[in-house]
Amino acid sequence: MKITVQLFAILREAAGAGQLDLDVPAQTTARQVAQILAERFPKFRAHLNTLSFAVNGEIVSAETKITSPGEVALLPPVSGG
Amino acid sequence: MIRITTNSINPADVLAQVGDDSSGGVVLFLGQTRDHSRGEKVIGLEYEAYENLALKQMEKIAAETRQRWPIRTIAIVHRTGYLKVGEISVAIAVACAHRGEAFEACRFAIDTLKKTVPIWKKEFRPDGSFWVEGVPIQIVEKMTTENLTESSEKPQLPWWQETVGMFKDDPAFDKIVELAQAIREKERREAEQAE
């Protein structure tokens, strides 16, 4: 299943890209997407426990399964304002 | 008006979006980039947004604020990109019939924005650039006035160091001491028996 992963801030810099295409098994959870990327980008590891997730523009829990191709966003703690 | 922009924010434009003849109080909040942060000099800030979701969250903040206060209109604008010190990063204007609700609603909107909108900032300092440590993104509808109090205003003490009340002259104090002594005494006896 093809997904597009959106990366922001510290994760975007760690990966050197704001967007990545990834092929993952169906039923992969949002958290597992982050774990898969942490193998490719070791700097992600320090952030795995503080991440939040959005799937197709909706905030979801880390255990949400991704059931169709789409966009998964890894959201580090926010600091707007 | 809900907007994310890379252009500089003009407060007059934001104010022009709110208020009508039925509004007796208009509150405008401007967040601007500060020249220091946790004791470090700051030269500029860079803001980055997950724009689709950020706009959606800002719409939710407007809707939630409307639901909680009788506001006439609300405008929320956030800037992204690189900002020099002193530039406006965020503007929120709220118009209500009365000033009290306008102040409260505006306060709720800005406090909620900081915790629920996917925007990140990076500080540029003489010694380098650093992403600001944020808070895990939260759900707009779950924000309460209590959990919005800024941490800088409310020192975060571990629960056992917080003073929740005094019971020096309360008869309950003697009773608690008595009970605690009884428990300790019982434990001591049990420990002795176990040996």
Side-chain angles (χ1 to χ4, degrees):
Chain A
M1 188 175 61
K2 290 206 188 316
I3 57 169
T4 302
V5 184
Q6 297 278 355
L7 301 171
F8 301 95
I10 204 158
L11 296 185
R12 176 180 56 71
E13 288 185 348
Q19 198 174 311
L20 292 171
D21 290 326
L22 210 60
D23 208 347
V24 297
Q27 305 291 310
T28 299
T29 64
R31 189 196 302 282
Q32 285 167 339
V33 171
Q35 286 164 345
I36 290 166
L37 287 175
E39 308 212 336
R40 202 192 297 181
F41 308 109
K43 281 185 185 168
F44 276 35
R45 274 185 220 142
H47 306 285
L48 287 179
N49 289 333
T50 58
L51 286 186
S52 300
F53 302 88
V55 174
N56 296 324
E58 294 285 344
I59 297 169
V60 298
S61 83
E63 306 314 325
T64 300
K65 292 190 170 78
I66 299 151
T67 52
S68 57
E71 185 177 290
V72 178
L74 309 191
L75 310 174
V78 299
S79 55
Chain B
M1 178 179 61
I2 304 294
R3 187 175 293 168
I4 292 175
T5 177
T6 53
N7 298 326
S8 65
I9 294 173
N10 179 349
D13 292 343
V14 182
L15 276 177
Q17 301 292 322
V18 301
D20 53 25
D21 291 349
S22 66
S23 304
V26 178
V27 169
L28 171 68
F29 172 81
L30 300 176
Q32 25 176 52
T33 50
R34 192 172 47 205
D35 67 358
H36 65 276
S37 172
R38 292 171 297 274
E40 301 285 345
K41 184 179 163 60
V42 174
I43 303 156
L45 286 173
E46 190 174 314
Y47 287 87
E48 175 176 337
Y50 179 19
E51 206 161 311
N52 294 348
L53 182 57
L55 286 169
K56 213 187 276 184
Q57 293 290 89
M58 287 158 73
E59 294 282 0
K60 279 189 188 170
I61 293 168
E64 191 64 22
T65 311
R66 270 177 202 287
Q67 202 155 29
R68 298 190 194 193
W69 287 273
I71 61 177
R72 307 272 171 189
T73 39
I74 178 167
I76 309 176
V77 186
H78 205 298
R79 175 125 177 241
T80 52
Y82 184 81
L83 278 73
K84 296 191 297 283
V85 161
E87 288 197 88
I88 298 166
S89 57
V90 59
I92 299 183
V94 178
C96 295
H98 306 287
R99 67 183 183 285
E101 54 219 29
F103 273 113
E104 280 177 22
C106 190
R107 175 74 194 254
F108 171 80
I110 180 60
D111 289 353
T112 300
L113 178 143
K114 283 174 160 281
K115 298 187 172 175
T116 62
V117 178
I119 294 180
W120 299 270
K121 66 173 163 254
K122 191 182 198 180
E123 283 173 358
F124 288 78
R125 309 197 314 224
D127 56 336
S129 59
F130 307 89
W131 288 101
V132 173
E133 201 178 314
V135 294
I137 196 163
Q138 288 166 53
I139 306 297
V140 174
E141 292 78 5
K142 289 189 183 159
M143 300 310 288
T144 64
T145 312
E146 287 73 41
N147 68 25
L148 284 168
T149 312
E150 274 182 44
S151 52
S152 59
E153 293 163 32
K154 206 169 90 183
Q156 293 285 311
L157 286 172
W159 63 269
W160 65 88
Q161 284 180 18
E162 265 182 61
T163 306
V164 293
M166 306 286 274
F167 51 93
K168 183 164 73 78
D169 300 319
D170 193 314
F173 178 75
D174 296 323
K175 189 70 194 165
I176 289 164
V177 171
E178 198 181 297
L179 287 170
Q181 280 169 344
I183 290 167
R184 239 175 274 147
E185 181 62 20
K186 181 165 164 282
E187 282 173 350
R188 195 183 58 78
R189 277 200 305 271
E190 281 169 359
E192 276 175 9
Q193 278 167 11
E195 282 166 17

